[in-house]
Amino acid sequence: MLKTFGKVMRCSLAAAMALSAASCGDDNKAAEMKTEFSVYITSIDERPTDDNKLLAKIEKELGYTFEFEYMTGNEAEFAGIMIAEGSYPDIVSCGDNTFVQAGALVPLDDYISEEKTLNIWNHIKDCYNKLCYEGDGHLYVIPSYGIFKGEETAAVYQGPAFWIQKAVLEEAGYPEVRTLDQYFELIEAYKEKHPTINGYSTVGFDMLAVSGFEWMLTTAPNYLDGNPNNGDFKVDDETYEAHIYADSDFSKRYFEKLSEEYAKGIIMPEAFTQNMEQYLEKIETGSVLGMFDQHWVFQLAEQELGKKGMYERQYVPLPLVFDEGTEPWYRTKLYEHVGQGYGITVNCEDPGAVVQMFETFLSEKWQKVFQWGIEGEDYMVDENGRFYRTEEQRAEQSDPLWKSQNKLNAFFWNCPKIQSSYSDGNAADPGSQQEEFVASLSDYDKIFLAKYGKKNWMEFMNVPPENPVYFPVWNIDKIAGSDADYASQQLESLAIEFLPKLIMSAGNGFDAVWDEYCREINSIDVAAYEDRINEVIRWRVKHWAQ
C-alpha cells in the first residue's frame, strides 16, 4: 500500500520569493529558507544516497530538500492507488494523462510566461500548443524529453530495436543484418557453438511478458512491417486512419517465427514467467544473445557488463524488417514527449515555488550540474572551452554506487532538460560529445565500430523519415474509465495470456491458438478504442499543423 506523503516543511510565500530570487542568480540567499518537496519517481535509474553530493549542493545553494518516493511494481497500479486514496506528493512522475484525468494536477498556465519563467518559456514556446492537454487546453506537464535546440547529437540509441550481442556479430564476420530471419540464423549458429557463457546456459532470445512491459511482445511486428512507433496501431499514410494490428497477418507472422525459435530452444520457457529483476539479472550474466527491447529498460544491466570488461557481451541495436525491400522506421525524428515529465499536484501548497525550482534547474548552470556534474570533480574544461573527462572520471560514470552518491539521475529523468547542446557549443549529454564518446570507448568497441565503418551506436539505426503531423499515437489519452480505456486494458490482458501460449505452441496447434486469440480480440469493443484514437488524430492534424 502506498504510504501517505508527509511533508516536513511546507512551501510558503516567503520561500517562493526566496526561490524566485535564487533563479535570478543569487543562489545562496535561498539557503536561508529551506523548502522540502515530496516527489514520486518512476525512473529505474540509481536512487541517491542520503549523503548525495548534488542533493547537498542544491540544499546549500538553493534551499531545496526532497522526500522521494519510488515506484515499486506496475506504474499504472501505483498511480491508481494514489488516485484512489487522494494521497499525492507535491510532484509526480507522469507517463501519460492518468493524473490529469483524475484531477490530480494543477494547470501551469498562470505560472509560466516570458516575464515569470524565461528559461521555461524559451524552452517550450515553440511547441506550447502541442503540450497542452486536448481535453481542456491547459498545460499540466513540461516534457522531460524531446525538446531540442539544434540537431540531435546522441551517439547512443535509447529506443526500440532488436538487440544482439557484439560477440555474435564478431564471430560471424561483422555482417549486415537486415531481416528477422538473418538475425535468428546468427543467434542459432552462435548458441549451437556456445551452449554456455560464463557458466550460464546460453539464452538465444529473451523477453518479458508482464503488465507494463507487454509491449516487448506486442509492438515488434509493427516495426518489422516498416511502421513507426504508434503503440497498438498502424496508421494509414494517406487517410491517417488508425487500426489495431494485434490480429494482423504481420503479427501472426512474427509469433509464428518466435514459435519456431522456441521449438529450437532459442527461447526458454522462463521468459514467460520471469519478472523485470530476473530479466535484468540474466542480461548482467552475459548469457543473453538478443532481445526486442528499448535501451533505457536494460541499459543499467548492460553497464554492469562493461564494468566487468565484458564489452563483447554488450549490445548493438538493429532495425530489422521482415523482408529486404521494406524500409525500417524504428528511429524517428525528434518529437516532444507530450504528457511525460513531472506534474504538480493539487496537494502542493505552493505550485509557484515548484515551477520556480524547475525554472532554476532549467538554467544552463544547473543543467550542466545535472548532466555533466561539478567542474574539476566530474569533468574538466580544456583551453578551447570543450568539456571532457579523465579516465578516472569516465570510470566513475559506470559505477552504480558512485552515481548514487554523486548524481541525481532518477530525479533528473523526468525533469525538463536541455538536449542537443548548450550555448557554448558543448553537448548537453556527455555521451553525445563526440570526442568524449570516442575517448570513453574500450579498445574492443573502437575496433568493432571500425569494422562497420560507423562513428557511434546510433548509426546502426535507420535514418528517420519526417514524422507525420499527428505523431505519435502511443501517447494519446484514452480517458480513464472509458470504453476505449477498457478495450486497451483487455487487449493488454489478452496479449499476456495468449502470446506466450502462441510462442510455445509450435507443432502443437499454433493456428488453433491464433484463431482463439483473434476471436477474443473480436469480442472486445475495439471500435471504441479506434474511434478515440482517430478522434485525437483528427484533432492533432487540425491543431498541430498550424
Side-chain angles (χ1 to χ4, degrees):
M1 182 62 66
L2 180 72
K3 72 174 184 178
T4 300
F5 282 89
K7 298 168 184 68
V8 177
M9 298 182 185
R10 293 286 189 173
C11 309
S12 66
L13 179 59
M17 292 173 64
L19 296 173
S20 180
S23 70
C24 296
D26 191 359
D27 294 342
N28 290 319
K29 287 184 179 179
E32 297 173 6
M33 301 194 69
K34 297 293 190 293
T35 304
E36 179 173 275
F37 297 120
S38 50
V39 188
Y40 162 59
I41 293 176
T42 56
S43 170
I44 60 176
D45 280 323
E46 299 86 4
R47 301 177 182 183
T49 56
D50 291 339
D51 62 347
N52 181 274
K53 178 173 68 177
L54 297 192
L55 285 178
K57 181 178 177 66
I58 290 169
E59 180 176 1
K60 178 181 178 182
E61 297 187 20
L62 301 178
Y64 302 123
T65 61
F66 301 95
E67 177 192 354
F68 293 126
E69 177 80 4
Y70 298 93
M71 178 188 70
T72 55
N74 181 277
E75 182 175 349
E77 292 175 0
F78 207 68
I81 294 171
M82 261 191 277
I83 291 168
E85 293 184 349
S87 176
Y88 306 115
D90 296 309
I91 305 165
V92 291
S93 293
C94 300
D96 53 31
N97 288 315
T98 298
F99 288 112
V100 177
Q101 296 165 13
L105 300 187
V106 174
L108 305 179
D109 313 60
D110 293 339
Y111 299 100
I112 295 173
S113 67
E114 187 172 8
E115 295 73 29
K116 298 175 184 176
T117 54
L118 185 60
N119 291 330
I120 295 176
W121 179 252
N122 285 336
H123 189 61
I124 67 173
K125 64 181 180 181
D126 294 335
C127 56
Y128 193 96
N129 65 320
K130 282 189 176 183
L131 306 185
C132 293
Y133 176 53
E134 66 262 14
D136 59 16
H138 290 301
L139 175 69
Y140 291 94
V141 176
I142 304 167
S144 51
Y145 287 94
I147 300 179
F148 279 73
K149 305 300 180 185
E151 292 299 314
E152 183 177 19
T153 58
V156 177
Y157 179 67
Q158 296 290 3
F162 281 86
W163 300 83
I164 192 167
Q165 275 192 1
K166 298 167 191 171
V168 178
L169 298 178
E170 178 188 10
E171 185 159 300
Y174 306 98
E176 294 293 331
V177 188
R178 301 185 186 280
T179 69
L180 188 66
D181 287 341
Q182 293 167 353
Y183 175 81
F184 276 115
E185 285 170 8
L186 290 173
I187 287 175
E188 289 171 21
Y190 192 92
K191 186 177 186 300
E192 182 177 4
K193 187 174 180 180
H194 305 277
T196 62
I197 296 174
N198 300 325
Y200 296 91
S201 295
T202 302
V203 177
F205 189 76
D206 209 11
M207 64 191 68
L208 274 176
V210 298
S211 179
F213 291 91
E214 72 290 333
W215 51 263
M216 288 189 189
L217 282 169
T218 60
T219 62
N222 195 43
Y223 294 105
L224 290 163
D225 192 52
N227 307 309
N229 183 7
N230 277 315
D232 294 332
F233 294 87
K234 179 175 180 178
V235 183
D236 187 279
D237 293 337
E238 296 180 0
T239 66
Y240 292 159
E241 194 76 14
H243 296 282
I244 67 163
Y245 57 81
D247 55 352
S248 68
D249 289 342
F250 60 82
S251 286
K252 181 180 181 182
R253 181 177 179 181
Y254 178 62
F255 295 111
E256 280 184 310
K257 180 64 176 177
L258 293 192
S259 185
E260 292 172 8
E261 297 303 323
Y262 179 84
K264 295 175 183 178
I266 299 302
I267 300 170
M268 305 301 289
E270 62 264 24
F272 310 112
T273 57
Q274 66 188 348
N275 58 30
M276 172 62 78
E277 183 179 4
Q278 293 166 326
Y279 171 74
L280 296 178
E281 285 176 351
K282 201 186 300 181
I283 290 173
E284 284 186 27
T285 67
S287 63
V288 178
L289 302 183
M291 58 273 186
F292 174 83
D293 201 346
Q294 298 205 27
H295 194 210
W296 60 267
V297 175
F298 69 90
Q299 65 177 346
L300 292 181
E302 186 185 38
Q303 287 172 11
E304 285 297 308
L305 293 170
K307 187 178 176 183
K308 300 170 187 174
M310 297 165 59
Y311 303 109
E312 78 282 4
R313 300 300 170 195
Q314 293 180 315
Y315 298 89
V316 172
L318 299 175
L320 302 180
V321 289
F322 283 124
D323 303 305
E324 285 274 7
T326 302
E327 290 296 321
W329 200 346
Y330 290 69
R331 182 184 171 196
T332 59
K333 289 278 189 180
L334 306 171
Y335 61 90
E336 304 82 4
H337 289 204
V338 176
Q340 293 189 318
Y342 282 126
I344 303 171
T345 76
V346 293
N347 286 10
C348 179
E349 292 189 351
D350 196 335
V354 180
V355 172
Q356 286 299 326
M357 178 185 71
F358 288 128
E359 167 72 5
T360 301
F361 285 168
L362 201 46
S363 68
E364 285 203 356
K365 170 188 172 179
W366 282 96
Q367 288 288 301
K368 289 174 181 177
V369 168
F370 283 119
Q371 303 202 60
W372 281 87
I374 296 176
E375 182 181 342
E377 296 181 23
D378 307 317
Y379 73 99
M380 314 300 285
V381 182
D382 69 16
E383 64 275 10
N384 298 314
R386 296 292 289 176
F387 296 178
Y388 71 97
R389 284 177 171 146
T390 65
E391 287 297 331
E392 181 181 0
Q393 289 167 342
R394 293 185 194 109
E396 291 170 339
Q397 300 300 315
S398 61
D399 183 344
L401 176 60
W402 183 91
K403 287 192 286 187
S404 293
Q405 295 169 334
N406 294 274
K407 303 283 285 184
L408 279 178
N409 289 341
F411 170 68
F412 187 63
W413 172 264
N414 275 305
C415 285
K417 56 182 63 66
I418 295 173
Q419 294 182 262
S420 188
S421 59
Y422 301 125
S423 59
D424 59 15
N426 284 291
D429 172 22
S432 299
Q433 190 99 315
Q434 183 61 27
E435 60 266 45
E436 181 59 24
F437 169 76
V438 171
S440 67
L441 289 172
S442 66
D443 290 340
Y444 178 91
D445 284 342
K446 290 176 182 177
I447 294 171
F448 190 94
L449 285 168
K451 290 290 187 180
Y452 276 99
K454 300 184 187 298
K455 294 186 297 183
N456 56 51
W457 309 117
M458 185 71 85
E459 292 188 355
F460 281 86
M461 297 306 294
N462 60 283
V463 175
E466 291 297 323
N467 293 331
V469 62
Y470 62 81
F471 186 81
V473 162
W474 62 261
N475 65 3
I476 286 179
D477 168 24
K478 296 183 285 290
I479 307 179
S482 68
D483 290 342
D485 186 41
Y486 184 51
S488 172
Q489 294 176 30
Q490 288 178 295
L491 280 175
E492 176 187 319
S493 297
L494 285 178
I496 293 172
E497 176 185 356
F498 275 92
L499 296 183
K501 292 180 185 178
L502 273 172
I503 296 169
M504 293 187 285
S505 67
N508 189 30
F510 177 92
D511 286 337
V513 178
W514 175 259
D515 290 343
E516 184 182 0
Y517 178 47
C518 291
R519 284 195 297 272
E520 292 294 328
I521 291 174
N522 290 333
S523 71
I524 296 172
D525 189 3
V526 170
Y529 191 12
E530 292 177 338
D531 288 347
R532 172 57 185 166
I533 298 302
N534 285 309
E535 174 190 5
V536 177
I537 287 176
R538 290 190 292 270
W539 184 90
R540 287 183 174 182
V541 170
K542 179 179 179 180
H543 292 85
W544 288 11
Q546 298 175 359

